[in-house]
Each structure stands twice: as structure tokens, then as C-alpha cells.
Amino acid sequence: MAAAMAEKGYVGTSVEDVLKRARVSRQSFYGVFSSKLDCFMAAFDKASELLRRRLADAAGGGGDPMARFERAFGAYLEALASEPGYARLFLVEVYAAGPEAVRRRSEIQHGLAEDLAGLMGVTGEASRFACEIVTSAVGAMVTPAVAAGDMDAVRAVGPPVVEHVRLLLRSGVLDA
């Protein structure tokens, strides 16, 4: 699904396109999925799982909150850049898939903001909201690059975002 959509977008991708790429029969497809949207949601969940696992792996280990953030954020950008099909599915095509997919994307984004708050060790309401804003802003910053297939531009988001989070931390916006 991710590979087919990377080529044709959600709207332009048919079940037949997925069948050809997966080399499975229509009967096999419908034995697992009820529809194109159901297949999309399974691929979306897979992309989300991959992303969250890479973030968790990178955030592990020692260091202060900023060091943990830099590792996790770098892993996030690298996950997007190294998996362009999943990145496109997760950040671009999700909006074409309809309200259920957009709701799920919103839930994942909220979860990523919660993960960021935990990573930074913040507990206050204002600091948690700042984590929501950072997460939303990053999504808005990388989505056009992913849509254009420009993975160098995805990676280029890293340094300015890291510096901004560093400023938020120094200024007390991300106080525990």
C-alpha cells in the first residue's frame, strides 16, 4: 500500500495496484482487508509502529533531556527519510484517506507529544502544551518536504528545531 501510494497517491491507488505490488490474489486481499481504507489503516498503523519504535530506541540511554531529544528527533527525521513510502502515507496521504485516518493521525500526533513531554521530563500543563506545539510544528515543517520527495529537506529540519527546543528549555518553557 505504501509503495503504491508513493507512486499514485491514496486517491489514485486502486486495490488492483496493491494486489500487483503484493503479488496476491483479490481473494487473499479480501481475506485480510475489508477495503482499500482498511488496508491503508493497517499500513498506517505499521508506519506509526515503526516510527514509535525507532524513537523509543533512540531516546533510551543516558544523557540530559536535550541529549535524549536530539537522539530521538534525529531518529524521527531519519525514519522519515529512509522510509519515504511510509513517511508519505503517514504525513500526506492520511488526509486523502478520510476522517477516520485523520482522527488516527491526530491520536498518534498527540501520543508523540506525550512521548516528547516524557522524554524532556516535563509535567506542567504549559510545558506539555509546548510539546504539543513542537510536535505539530515539526509535522507541518516536514510534510511539504515528504510530499515533494525531498528527503534532504526532511533532514534539514533537524538543526533549527533542535536549536529552538534548546531555547525553549533554557527559557523555562519546558520546565518540569
Side-chain angles (χ1 to χ4, degrees), residues 46-156:
K46 181 73 173 174
S48 301
E49 177 187 310
L50 173 73
L51 184 60
R52 302 264 324 246
R53 187 174 48 247
R54 287 200 186 168
L55 287 170
D57 290 348
D64 62 15
M66 197 61 219
R68 292 190 308 266
F69 173 77
E70 285 187 69
R71 284 194 310 271
F73 188 58
Y76 172 76
L77 295 177
E78 193 52 42
L80 295 178
S82 66
E83 297 285 349
Y86 278 142
R88 184 173 183 85
L89 181 144
F90 187 74
L91 291 167
V92 178
E93 300 303 334
V94 66
Y95 296 105
E100 178 186 345
V102 171
R103 181 190 54 75
R104 181 100 44 98
R105 171 72 177 95
S106 181
E107 289 172 0
I108 297 296
Q109 186 167 313
H110 181 74
L112 290 170
E114 289 293 316
D115 292 348
L116 175 58
L119 186 70
M120 301 303 287
V122 301
T123 57
E125 190 174 320
S127 294
R128 293 179 88 71
F129 185 67
C131 290
E132 288 273 355
I133 292 170
V134 168
T135 303
S136 296
V138 166
M141 293 169 77
V142 298
T143 298
V146 169
D150 187 350
M151 296 308 143
D152 289 335
V154 169
R155 290 179 179 103

